[in-house]
Each structure stands twice: as C-alpha cells, then as structure tokens.
Amino acid sequence: MIKKYLIPVFVLCSLVVSAQKHFPKNDGVKNENSNYVAFTHATIYVTPSEVIQNATLLIKDTKIVASGTNVDIPNNTVIHDLTGKTIYPSFIEIYSDFGIEKPEKANKSNSPQYDASREGYYWNDHIMPEQNAIAHFKFDSNAATELRKAGFGIVNTHVPDGIIQGTGSLIALAPNSSDASRILDNRSGQYYSTKKSVTSNQAYPTSLMGTIALLKQVNYDATWYANGQSEDTDLSLEAFNNNKSLVQFLDAGSKMNALRFDKVGDEFNTQYVMVAGGDEYEMIKEIKATNATFIVPLNFPDAFNVEDPFLSQNIDLSDLREWNQRPSNPKVMHENEIPFALTTHNLESPKEFKDHLLKAIEYGYDKQAALEALTTVPAKTLGKENSLGKLKTGYLANFLITSGDVFDKETTLYENWVIGDRHEITPMLATDIRGAYNFNIAGQKYHVSISGKIDKPKSKVTIDSTKLKSEITMNGDWMNLIISNADSTKQDFIRLNSKVLSTENFNGLAILPNGNETRFYAIKIKDEAHLKNEKESLKKDRDSLNNEVKIYPITYPNEAYGFSELPKQETLLFKNATVWTNETEGILKETDVLIKDGKIAKIGKNLNSGNAKVIDATGKHLTTGIIDEHSHIATAAVNEAGQNSTAEVSIEDVIDPEDVDIYRNLAGGVTSIQILHGSANPIGGRSAIIKLKWGESADNLLYKNSPKFIKFALGENVKQSNWGSFAKTRFPQTRMGVEQIYIDYFTQAQAYEAKKKCGKPYRKDLEMEVLVEILNQERYVTCHSYVQSEINMLMKVAEKFNFNINTFTHILEGYKVADKMKAHGVGGSTFSDWWAYKYEVNDAIPQNAAIMHSQGVVTAINSDDAEMSRRLNQEAAKSVKYGNVSEEDAWKFVTLNPAKLLHIDHRVGSIKTGKDADLVLWTDHPLSIYAKAEKTIIDGIVYFDINRDEQMRKAMKKEKNELITMMLQAKNKGSKTRSIEKKEDETFHCDTVN
C-alpha cells in the first residue's frame, strides 16, 4: 500500500516545487490575477501612426494578447469600459541614472595624482567598461512614481561616472513586480561621457582633447588586447571588447562635441547614439551628416530677469537667442529627418517634462513625431522594437489611459500600466465637472466656465460681462468654489460647496458674504452653439499664444556678428591700390589686382574687369592677410596638463569655430593662424593651422593637407615653477630634468620605431607615433622658449636625434643666440615688446626681432593673446621704431615670414599670381595706428567688410532690444526667470589649465 502512493506524492511534490518562484516576497500575501483584462471602446494608439477608434486592448499577465476592433474576449476577463478615453503606449526614458547610487567622490588631494589607483584594470581610472549598472542599482519607488506620473513605464539607466562608464540596465517601473521581471535587460548598452570619474583624482586627462586622445588609445589597445598580444590581464579591455556588440551611448552634451566624437567613432567603425545638448539646430546639416541617432533633452533655458536695464545690456546676444530659439530644436531635427528620442535628462524633475514638451509643440514640433520619440524610436534604439513601444500582440503591456490627447495641456493621465501592473495616477471615476454652467445664487445669475484637468480644474466666473476672481477644487465628486467680489478693494467672498451627483445639474450650499446660508443651483448649458463659442475662444487664445512665438533666424555662427547667409566666393577687381606684394616687386603704386576662383589671377595696371565686382582702392593699401604663428583663439581647450608628454593630443580635435575672436581677428586683417597647445608640459600636443572662415564648420577652417606641427615648451611653466608648492610630484621640476625628458622620450620613440620595422605585432601608441614623425622629420616642432641656455640645449638635443627645431616661439632672448639659431636653421617668432611679466623674461628687449632678422633668422611677430592678435599690424610697426627695420621687412614679420615658418608660403604670405586670395584692403598705411581693415578676404570670399559690420551692429542692437522686451513680457505673464550672472573670462593663454 505504501508503494501505491509513493509515485503520485512524488509527482505532486515535483509540480509544486517547479511552480515556486525563487525571488521571495516580503510584502505580505498577494493574490496574483491570472485572468485576462480587456479595455473596451477606447481610442487606441497601436503605434504613433496607427490609431483605432472604438477598439479593445486585451492583456494577460505582462503581455498584450490583442488590440483592435475584432478582439475575442475570453470568459474569465475583467472588462474596463473606456468609452471616451484614449490608450497610448507608455513612454520609454532612454537615458537616466534611475536607481543608481551616487558614486562616492574621491578624497581631495593637494598634490596631483598621475598614476592609476587600480590593479588589474586599465592604466587610466576614468576608463571603466567593466562597471555594470545593475551592481549599483536599487529600485527607487519615489523616483519611479514621478516618472510614471510623467507617462514613463520603462527606464534605461546607467552609472553616470567616468569617460567609459560600463553597461546599463533596462528597468520596468513596476514596484510590485519581482526584480527578475522588471529587469528587462541588464546589459542595455555601453556608456561614455566627456567627463572624468569623480571616484578618482587621476589627473589625466585635464582637457577635452585629452579625453578624445584617451578614447582613441583605448580603442587601439582593445584591438591589440583582443589579438592576444598582452602579457598581462586587463579586465577593463576585456569588458570593453565584450561590450562592443551593445548599443554605444555617448553623452556629448553639445553640438560641437557630437561632431567631435562622431569623428572618433568613424575612425573605429563605431556609431554612437549621442545624448544631445539641445543646440543641434544651430549646425543641423553637420549634425545630420553624422548619421547618428540622438537623445534630445528638453532643458530649455528660462528668460533672464531683465528689469535692470544696465545689467540687461551685458547679456550676450547668443544667450538671448538661445532662450528664443532652443525650444525649436526638436522641430528642426524632425524636419531634417534626424532620428531622436526624447529624455527627461537635465531637467530638475520629471514634473517639468510635459510643460517643456508642450513648449516644443508650441514651437512647431509635430505631435506624432513626439510620440515616436517617446515610444518607437527609443525602443528601436535599444534593439527592443519587437517588445516595446507599441500596443501589438506579444508586446509588453505598457500603456497609458488618458482622457484625450496625451499632448494636450488639459488632458488627464488616469493610469499607467507597466508590464501588466496597474498604477493609478488620477482616479478614473473622479467626476469630470468641466464645461459651461449657469449658477443661480440668491437670485443672481452667474456664468461659470470650468476647464483644466479633471483633478485640478480651473474656473472662470462672469456676472453679465464682468469677470470675477474665482478658485475651484474637486475632491472626488465634491466641489468647492470661491467667488470674489469684482471690487478688489472689498474682501467679499461667496463660498459654494456641493456633492456633484450629476454633471448636468446639481445644487449645494452657498455661504454669502454676510454669512447667510442659502442654496445654489447649477445647470449645464445645453446650447451647443455656446459651447462651440467657448472652444473657439479657447482656440483663439492658443492661436494668439502661438502667434506671439517669434523665432529669430539662425546665423552662421549663431551669435553676434554671425552671417544670415554665408558669404560666397566672388570675382573681384581692386583698382588703383597701393599693393604690398612681399615679393621682389616690392610695393606697387596705383596697381590693380584681380581675384578669380579664390586665387590671385592678375596683378598689373589697367586690368579689364569683365564680370568682376570692381572695388575702387584709390588711396588705399592692399596687402596679403596677416598670419599669426602663435595663437590660442578658436579652441575649446589649450593645455593637456595631465602628463609631462602629451604628443597624442591634437588641437584639431577641439577647434571652436564659434569663437568671436575669429571675427575680431578678421577685423584686424588676420586671415590665418596656428592654434598651439599650451606650455604645461615639455612635450605638448599637436597644433592646428586654420583660415579664419567665420561661419564655417571646424573642418572647413583647417588647411587641407597642412604641414604637421607640435608644441614643445621650456622654462618655468613646464617645471611647474608657478603652480604652487603642491605641484612637486611630476617630473621634471628643474631645467635639467626638462632636457632629460626629451632624451628619454626620443629614445623610447626610437625603440618603438625599431619594433614596428621588425614586422612583429606591436601595441599602437599614439604618443610614440607622433614622436616618430618628429624623428623622421615628418612633423615640425614649435617650442615655447625664453632663456638662451635652454634654447641652446634643445637645439643640441634635436641634433643628437638628427632633426631640427622649426620655430622658437616667444624667444625673448633670441637676440643672444641668433647666430646659433641661424646655424641650426630654426626660425624665431617673438613678441614685439613684452617683458618683465615673469622672472625668465627679465632680459627681454624690444630690439629682439630686429637683431634676429639681421642675423638671417626667419623672424615673425606673434600674439599668444586674443587681444593682441587683432592689432598685429601695429606690433610689427614697433620693429620699425625700435630696430630700424624697413617697413617692408617689418610687414613681412606678420605675413610672409610666419607663412614660411608654417611652411604654407607657397599658398599665402604674399601677393603673387596663383596664390590664395587671402587679402586685406586697408584704409591707410598698414603699419599705421590709423589703419582700419576695410575688407578681409579669404579664398576670394569677403569675410569682413567694414560697411557690413556697421549694418550688423545696428541689426544686432535692434534684435537684442526686441528679445529683452520679449523676456519682460514673458516675466509679466508669469514665466520663470533667472538672474544675470557675470561670465567668467574664457580667453585661453599658454598657461591656462582647464
């Protein structure tokens, strides 16, 4: 008998065990409903473009069973009649740090940390691909509630710390579900940012260009590691390689960074999903060319408080425009067919999301596109398009139930269902009292119009044609209404209270101003014509609001002095000019110059104009454009100070084409500059040689196939003399150590090249690659220098390794070693009369340039300063005054000679047939303090015109006043404002460290 029951009991036990869940619940007994749930007679947005009227949505457990008009409803179904209501897919928050514990900041240290603090991982602490968000995740019920109220059901979260931040997790915002069911994907993507980790004090990188170089090196190292060439285990590189198949999210934070990092992605065949900065509308063509999907925040700036007219004049035009234009970003991106998802990222709270989205819609953003950006686009971006973002069979049961258009301000969100789990936002059974009524109170007739949300109604009360102040609240089906006397000097109130059993008519208690109690009676207005008038009136109000949105046009760049249209190349004929050729012909009087196709076509007298635009240059001087050999304008970073050698970084990666100093330089006759790395380390970064094509993109500023340069530095800066006592941890700390740095690194570069040449596998090192280019005389060296002993030292080091220094820049003691410089073959680019601003320049003299020039050294005057660069013509004139240099030779100090030092003199630096048409028309002798640049031309395009400049100033003044007036109007209408804060000086110098 015992054996008879053994098997059945065993089978029964097996069934029970197999049905158990391995996630224990500690929230008491819960009855799980395995029945179907049907939502009938609703308007259903199956997808943003597929809308079905009078339809049914059927779900079971976490999934959608069916949606449509012919849905078979099983017998065991709970049915909800949603007549008059709408169902949408719930929103997906694609970029968040939801539920992630805040990374603990490293203890601050006075001394810089140069080495990594971890063993077994990558050499840089800010590279953490091994980090997994799920290991730092704890479900945050309060934050989840706020997100659900904003319409979100799914959130993609990650650890926002580091340059490479590891993997993220896709979470359903369902607190009643188990961890296993609400974690939809624990490796939803790999995440990057432009900022370092707060958990480490490791110094490198200190700049954006260092971040870019580091990211490139990680990619090279990962490939090398994947090929099994490393002798050590690196858990970071292993994780990075394992994560390559995931979606790659990069928090760019601005249009410029999106373009910069897209180029990094292109180099390594990686397409990043870019977290936008909200300013993409300003360079929309370039943004579209990235072919990236974007994640767009709606963090529109508040208006400034411009009541103080003095302070308001200090606001930059670009900041005023940003307030006016930024809400149009989603519209512009959609119209340009750039795929993007929306995010609450950078908002103070999800509560702000709908208002900001409605503002974008007010600015013309399409509602269907908005729904796509919150549902199907993020689902597709995450690779979940077959399970999220739609209300189709087999998809997760994530949906919203609303009173109507989800993007209407008056619409009420009733419920947010997440993986089949119901979350009530607003009681669906709450009485909807909205409409138009006649109230009879003590024999007096009042007209009451109720609008707003069901749970937060708004009232408008009139008696005859007089509007009265009123305040209404609803608590379930109880209404409270307070009506104030029209006379603002009297504090008379009528208080009404009623339980609304019928929205057609109801009555209740009224307390009159004298304290007497009476009954009031409310009758809903049946007159359809009246209701129609109410709606039309509301629509007119909205249309009126829309008409007030005046969006100012974009300029190139989109700031002060930007062009409404980029200037075009022209055929120009200058007549009767005094032409400074910088060639053997010297200065030609009453001479014509023809410019055609961006080149100097002809030089002579009585040239025919043909179809050229003729410019009368009688009494004026025509010169080649000024060239600044040493500048720090037009860049987003100047120093990478995290290591004593940073040859791997490049200024070309961080060019800022929107720096207004470009325009200011054009106004000073400057057409080309070399943007140099700073002097924070002996071996700095690579430079960029650009033409000042104001309004063009960063790529279009660069000289094509330009010579390669790098910045070295000597003296006080590199040995950190003036950095403070804490900066005693980095080698070198003495001038002797600086010499040893060069010897050590070039010795390493020789060994690196030998390994490459032997044909064996090697780790590609960006820093060594650049140093090898120097050894092979494929890259020129510009060296920051002051003291003669160090100048001699570096020339000897270079000769030891069989290359030459190209230029000593600053070189205020060049007059002491000019003969040695000539023998070495190095040029000198100096200041005209700077001295005594630090100890190592005490011996500077204003005759320095003249003495170097007299010894046959190619000599130039540079600026190293955003202010000086726009008056280099006057700086050149100082050599005439102090050194008796001829006017022509002095002029060459800022034109032909810097062109020679930069090895671009075959293109620019003189007026010669066939050279680039980079010219300046001066109102006076170009070395005179009275001379103004009337026109500055690059490649035959007039980028600065003094008459156009005057017109632009008037237009900008008018626009600025109009925008300030609009801000005042916005404030008067109750819009939030922000205070006007003084901006920090963003001008870069040699020793600027970000």
Side-chain angles (χ1 to χ4, degrees):
M1 292 294 292
I2 294 175
K3 290 182 180 180
K4 182 178 180 180
Y5 293 102
L6 277 176
I7 294 177
V9 171
F10 174 75
V11 172
L12 179 61
C13 289
S14 298
L15 291 173
V16 172
V17 170
S18 65
Q20 286 181 326
K21 294 186 176 181
H22 63 288
F23 286 90
K25 303 288 285 185
N26 295 306
D27 53 359
V29 177
K30 180 181 178 183
N31 293 320
E32 295 190 5
N33 181 14
S34 61
N35 292 340
Y36 293 89
V37 182
F39 304 86
T40 61
H41 306 298
T43 298
I44 299 179
Y45 278 74
V46 179
T47 70
S49 59
E50 183 184 349
V51 186
I52 307 176
Q53 306 291 334
N54 195 26
T56 296
L57 179 71
L58 182 65
I59 71 170
K60 186 177 187 298
D61 298 330
T62 62
K63 298 286 185 70
I64 294 171
V65 177
S67 60
T69 54
N70 297 310
V71 175
D72 291 329
I73 301 176
N75 290 331
N76 59 336
T77 300
V78 177
I79 299 175
H80 297 275
D81 185 349
L82 296 187
T83 301
K85 297 177 176 60
T86 306
I87 303 178
Y88 288 89
S90 63
F91 304 155
I92 301 169
E93 172 53 273
I94 193 171
Y95 191 80
S96 172
D97 60 353
F98 170 78
I100 300 297
E101 57 184 309
K102 195 171 183 179
E104 188 175 342
K105 287 187 178 181
N107 293 327
K108 287 189 177 180
S109 171
N110 287 332
S111 296
Q113 173 194 331
Y114 293 106
D115 297 321
S117 60
R118 305 177 301 164
E119 293 289 338
Y121 296 91
Y122 198 62
W123 61 266
N124 191 279
D125 285 345
H126 308 297
I127 304 300
M128 298 181 286
E130 71 282 353
Q131 190 166 244
N132 196 322
I134 206 66
H136 303 268
F137 177 78
K138 182 179 180 182
F139 193 87
D140 187 336
S141 296
N142 292 332
T145 298
E146 291 300 311
L147 284 163
R148 287 196 302 269
K149 286 180 178 178
F152 294 92
I154 304 295
V155 61
N156 189 37
T157 189
H158 73 293
V159 181
D161 183 58
I163 293 171
I164 302 182
Q165 303 171 333
T167 57
S169 295
L170 193 62
I171 307 294
L173 297 173
N176 297 326
S177 300
S178 67
D179 290 338
S181 58
R182 68 178 169 225
I183 299 173
L184 306 182
D185 190 342
N186 64 3
R187 295 181 75 247
S188 60
Q190 177 158 259
Y191 293 78
Y192 305 75
S193 83
T194 62
K195 298 177 181 177
K196 298 191 293 186
S197 169
V198 300
T199 63
S200 172
N201 289 321
Q202 188 170 2
Y204 185 84
T206 65
S207 67
L208 181 63
M209 59 183 163
T211 298
I212 292 172
L214 177 58
L215 190 53
K216 290 179 180 179
Q217 190 63 60
V218 170
N219 277 275
Y220 284 123
D221 288 349
T223 301
W224 164 77
Y225 189 86
N227 293 332
Q229 297 168 9
S230 174
E231 297 177 0
D232 303 314
T233 298
D234 190 315
L235 298 177
S236 296
L237 293 179
E238 285 185 8
F240 183 80
N241 286 325
N242 290 335
N243 298 340
K244 277 188 175 180
S245 61
L246 305 177
V247 185
Q248 308 289 302
F249 294 95
L250 191 146
D251 184 5
S254 71
K255 63 181 186 296
M256 291 305 306
N257 279 350
L259 299 177
R260 291 166 180 144
F261 282 88
D262 181 70
K263 290 169 69 175
V264 177
D266 290 345
E267 186 174 342
F268 298 99
N269 197 30
T270 299
Q271 183 64 71
Y272 297 118
V273 174
M274 299 284 188
V275 181
D279 56 356
E280 289 66 33
Y281 61 95
E282 295 181 319
M283 298 185 75
I284 201 66
K285 290 181 180 178
E286 291 82 1
I287 290 295
K288 183 177 175 64
T290 65
N291 294 317
T293 296
F294 282 79
I295 300 172
V296 177
L298 300 176
N299 55 329
F300 309 139
D302 295 327
F304 287 103
N305 185 343
V306 290
E307 291 181 331
D308 186 324
F310 178 77
L311 286 177
S312 63
Q313 291 305 312
N314 294 324
I315 307 173
D316 288 345
L317 178 61
S318 59
D319 291 333
L320 293 170
R321 282 187 184 169
E322 181 189 32
W323 169 75
N324 173 255
Q325 298 169 343
R326 197 166 187 142
S328 68
N329 191 48
K331 169 182 178 285
V332 174
M333 293 186 73
H334 170 64
E335 289 177 345
N336 284 272
E337 300 179 340
I338 298 169
F340 66 91
L342 295 174
T343 178
T344 63
H345 179 59
N346 284 337
L347 294 179
E348 289 184 8
S349 165
K351 293 178 183 177
E352 298 180 344
F353 181 76
K354 185 171 182 179
D355 286 343
H356 284 240
L357 179 55
L358 292 180
K359 188 168 188 177
I361 291 171
E362 179 188 330
Y363 271 64
Y365 184 35
D366 181 72
K367 287 185 177 181
Q368 180 179 316
L371 187 56
E372 290 170 350
L374 289 165
T375 55
T376 52
V377 174
K380 182 178 179 181
T381 303
L382 290 162
K384 307 294 182 186
E385 61 267 44
N386 294 323
S387 60
L388 296 176
K390 300 177 184 177
L391 300 181
K392 289 189 171 185
T393 303
Y395 279 65
L396 288 177
N398 301 322
F399 56 92
L400 311 173
I401 301 175
T402 71
S403 62
D405 183 350
V406 73
F407 299 131
D408 192 301
K409 191 171 185 179
E410 308 300 327
T411 295
T412 299
L413 173 57
Y414 293 116
E415 295 177 0
N416 188 343
W417 288 66
V418 181
I419 55 174
D421 200 356
R422 173 181 174 270
H423 301 279
E424 184 179 73
I425 310 298
T426 304
M428 202 180 301
L429 297 178
T431 302
D432 187 355
I433 199 175
R434 294 177 296 184
Y437 297 84
N438 283 329
F439 277 45
N440 191 310
I441 307 171
Q444 179 66 56
K445 184 179 178 183
Y446 297 78
H447 180 264
V448 181
S449 177
I450 302 174
S451 60
K453 296 181 180 180
I454 293 174
D455 58 331
K456 292 183 180 178
K458 298 176 182 177
S459 57
K460 180 181 177 183
V461 179
T462 57
I463 180 170
D464 297 329
S465 59
T466 304
K467 184 179 178 181
L468 307 180
K469 291 183 179 180
S470 64
E471 184 178 342
I472 187 171
T473 58
M474 286 293 296
N475 186 5
D477 54 4
W478 279 92
M479 180 207 75
N480 290 287
L481 177 64
I482 299 175
I483 303 173
S484 305
N485 195 302
D487 186 350
S488 61
T489 63
K490 297 180 180 180
Q491 298 299 316
D492 295 340
F493 301 97
I494 301 174
R495 297 173 176 83
L496 309 179
N497 178 262
S498 173
K499 184 171 184 178
V500 182
L501 299 175
S502 168
T503 57
E504 297 300 314
N505 56 75
F506 54 91
N507 63 80
L509 177 67
I511 302 176
L512 302 178
N514 60 12
N516 292 337
E517 296 183 0
T518 186
R519 304 293 296 178
F520 78 89
Y521 299 90
I523 300 174
K524 198 168 192 177
I525 298 172
K526 301 290 185 180
D527 186 357
E528 293 298 327
H530 181 85
L531 292 175
K532 183 179 180 182
N533 289 337
E534 285 280 327
K535 290 180 179 178
E536 288 180 353
S537 175
L538 183 63
K539 185 176 184 298
K540 284 180 181 178
D541 289 342
R542 288 175 181 165
D543 290 344
S544 174
L545 183 65
N546 289 339
N547 290 335
E548 290 177 11
V549 177
K550 178 182 178 181
I551 305 174
Y552 281 81
I554 304 297
T555 62
Y556 305 95
N558 193 33
E559 58 173 68
Y561 303 102
F563 298 123
S564 56
E565 239 181 82
L566 285 176
K568 301 282 195 302
Q569 196 174 78
E570 299 177 271
T571 300
L572 303 172
L573 178 59
F574 292 91
K575 299 287 290 183
N576 300 319
T578 299
V579 180
W580 293 57
T581 66
N582 280 352
E583 296 288 340
T584 54
E585 293 83 359
I587 301 173
L588 305 175
K589 304 285 188 178
E590 298 177 353
T591 300
D592 303 344
V593 176
L594 177 66
I595 295 172
K596 190 174 183 179
D597 299 326
K599 300 289 184 180
I600 299 168
K602 289 182 181 179
I603 305 167
K605 295 183 181 291
N606 302 316
L607 297 181
N608 295 323
S609 62
N611 63 345
K613 178 180 177 180
V614 178
I615 299 169
D616 183 4
T618 303
K620 299 173 184 178
H621 295 249
L622 186 68
T623 73
T624 185
I626 291 172
I627 299 169
D628 191 352
E629 184 273 338
H630 185 155
S631 177
H632 298 302
I633 69 167
T635 180
V638 68
N639 266 307
E640 176 45 64
Q643 298 175 156
N644 52 24
S645 170
T646 55
E648 73 279 0
V649 308
S650 175
I651 293 288
E652 288 191 2
D653 289 333
V654 289
I655 289 173
D656 177 10
E658 297 181 332
D659 184 353
V660 71
D661 284 316
I662 294 176
Y663 185 77
R664 291 170 179 161
N665 271 244
L666 287 166
V670 183
T671 54
S672 294
I673 64 173
Q674 177 178 217
I675 311 173
L676 282 170
H677 185 278
S679 54
N681 33 28
I683 300 176
R686 292 166 280 166
S687 64
I689 303 175
I690 68 170
K691 292 195 176 191
L692 301 183
K693 297 180 179 180
W694 180 239
E696 292 283 0
S697 68
D699 285 349
N700 288 341
L701 300 187
L702 287 166
Y703 268 79
K704 305 307 177 190
N705 302 314
S706 66
K708 299 176 181 179
F709 275 82
I710 189 172
K711 171 75 173 290
F712 281 12
L714 305 168
E716 294 180 11
N717 291 359
V718 300
K719 66 187 187 71
Q720 303 173 305
S721 299
N722 306 309
W723 291 36
S725 58
F726 70 93
K728 299 295 183 184
T729 58
R730 191 190 81 179
F731 185 83
Q733 294 289 305
T734 66
R735 295 179 192 269
M736 293 181 294
V738 174
E739 178 179 8
Q740 194 60 46
I741 278 286
Y742 292 122
I743 293 171
D744 287 350
Y745 274 98
F746 283 123
T747 301
Q748 289 179 48
Q750 286 177 329
Y752 176 83
E753 185 181 31
K755 189 170 185 180
K756 282 180 66 175
K757 287 181 176 178
C758 74
K760 294 181 180 179
Y762 68 99
R763 170 183 172 270
K764 183 172 182 177
D765 187 317
L766 287 175
E767 179 185 28
M768 289 295 121
E769 292 281 335
V770 175
L771 295 181
V772 167
E773 288 178 341
I774 297 170
L775 291 174
N776 293 334
Q777 301 182 45
E778 297 167 350
R779 183 173 296 276
Y780 301 108
V781 174
T782 291
C783 185
H784 161 117
S785 56
Y786 289 108
V787 179
Q788 64 168 329
S789 59
E790 288 189 301
I791 297 166
N792 280 325
M793 173 273 291
L794 189 59
M795 287 191 290
K796 290 176 181 176
V797 169
E799 289 164 1
K800 177 179 180 180
F801 288 95
N802 297 316
F803 69 92
N804 280 46
I805 303 300
N806 186 84
T807 310
F808 281 113
T809 191
H810 301 332
I811 195 160
L812 292 180
E813 292 188 15
Y815 66 94
K816 297 180 180 180
V817 289
D819 55 339
K820 296 181 178 63
M821 291 172 63
K822 172 64 176 176
H824 182 78
V826 62
S829 183
T830 186
F831 301 128
S832 60
D833 59 353
W834 277 20
W835 62 77
Y837 52 89
K838 57 181 175 176
Y839 185 80
E840 64 185 355
V841 299
N842 281 352
D843 284 358
I845 59 174
Q847 294 84 7
N848 184 45
I851 294 173
M852 287 193 294
H853 172 65
S854 70
Q855 296 300 305
V857 175
V858 178
T859 303
I861 302 290
N862 67 66
S863 75
D864 189 19
D865 180 79
E867 170 60 29
M868 184 190 289
S869 59
R870 59 197 184 102
R871 48 184 172 82
L872 277 173
N873 62 317
Q874 297 175 28
E875 295 301 307
K878 292 176 182 178
S879 290
V880 178
K881 174 181 174 61
Y882 293 113
N884 294 319
V885 175
S886 72
E887 290 183 353
E888 285 188 69
D889 283 348
W891 184 245
K892 291 176 183 177
F893 284 0
V894 292
T895 53
L896 182 60
N897 289 4
K900 289 179 178 178
L901 293 177
L902 296 175
H903 300 271
I904 54 175
D905 53 305
H906 61 292
R907 292 186 55 179
V908 292
S910 66
I911 298 179
K912 182 179 180 180
T913 302
K915 280 195 173 185
D916 294 353
D918 293 7
L919 305 175
V920 184
L921 182 65
W922 300 90
T923 59
D924 209 319
H925 190 296
L927 295 175
S928 168
I929 60 172
Y930 299 107
K932 294 180 181 179
E934 190 172 289
K935 295 182 190 295
T936 304
I937 301 162
I938 301 174
D939 293 339
I941 301 170
V942 180
Y943 281 98
F944 175 81
D945 181 284
I946 200 167
N947 294 322
R948 182 175 61 197
D949 177 81
E950 185 178 356
Q951 295 168 4
M952 290 169 74
R953 288 172 186 267
K954 290 178 181 178
M956 288 188 300
K957 184 176 181 180
K958 180 174 180 288
E959 180 184 351
K960 191 170 184 178
N961 287 334
E962 288 176 354
L963 285 166
I964 287 173
T965 300
M966 289 170 65
M967 285 187 172
L968 282 170
Q969 293 171 344
K971 184 179 187 296
N972 292 335
K973 290 178 181 178
S975 295
K976 288 172 61 179
T977 60
R978 53 182 163 145
S979 59
I980 302 169
E981 297 179 358
K982 184 178 179 181
K983 283 193 170 183
E984 293 184 11
D985 182 17
E986 296 179 353
T987 304
F988 290 137
H989 302 280
C990 255
D991 56 355
T992 302
V993 177
N994 294 33

